[in-house]
Every structure is written in structure tokens, then in C-alpha cells.
Amino acid sequence: MARCRYCNLEITWMKDGRKNVPVEHDGAVHKCDQMINSRDSLRKISPSEVDPELLKQYEQAINEKAAKSPKKKKNN
């Protein structure tokens, strides 16, 4: 069994459509205050807030890595 990283309660992960949802032993969806508070503290950054030079550097690194990796063959 898995444990919640925030409150250390024993949980089970169940599939709900395409999402994995933490479920407590009684069948209820697990939502602890610590988890909710940590999710609320996430900071969202729009691309306009990031330095354009930094974005260019990241894109270049991603493109170089993609160019170095071998291409996958299609099975027809």
C-alpha cells in the first residue's frame, strides 16, 4: 500500500478515466489539508514573464537533444 506524502495516511491509487486518484481504505477520495495547501502554493509563470534569451536557450537545448536522439522506425 502507498502512503500520502503529506499526512502519511495509507492510500490506494485508483484510475478515474485517465487520472490516478488517491483513495482511502473506506473508498472516499483522499484530500488532506497539507496536500491542498501545497498545491495552492504552486506558482504559475506565463511565457511573457520569462526572459526571451532564457527561453531561446532552453528551446535550442531541446532541439539539439532531439536532433541527437535516434529516430524511431515506423512499422508498416
Side-chain angles (χ1 to χ4, degrees), residues 1-4 7-12 22-26 30:
M1 288 281 182
R3 293 203 171 267
C4 175
C7 66
N8 207 23
L9 186 70
E10 194 169 296
I11 59 172
T12 304
V23 178
E24 295 177 2
H25 69 280
D26 62 353
H30 176 70

Side-chain angles (χ1 to χ4, degrees), residues 2-74:
R3 293 203 171 267
C4 175
R5 73 169 64 170
Y6 304 103
C7 66
N8 207 23
L9 186 70
E10 194 169 296
I11 59 172
T12 304
W13 290 95
M14 303 284 287
K15 200 79 159 158
D16 182 23
R18 295 181 68 190
K19 281 177 63 175
N20 289 325
V21 180
V23 178
E24 295 177 2
H25 69 280
D26 62 353
V29 175
H30 176 70
K31 289 187 180 180
C32 59
D33 293 333
Q34 297 93 334
M35 178 176 61
I36 293 170
N37 290 338
S38 73
R39 285 187 178 176
D40 289 342
S41 69
L42 291 176
R43 182 176 164 213
K44 295 182 182 176
I45 300 174
S46 66
S48 62
E49 294 176 12
V50 180
D51 182 31
E53 285 297 317
L54 187 61
L55 282 176
K56 184 178 178 182
Q57 183 182 10
Y58 284 140
E59 287 179 12
Q60 185 179 8
I62 290 169
N63 291 336
E64 287 175 1
K65 185 177 179 182
K68 289 180 183 178
S69 67
K71 305 285 184 195
K72 292 184 179 179
K73 292 182 180 180
K74 290 184 179 180

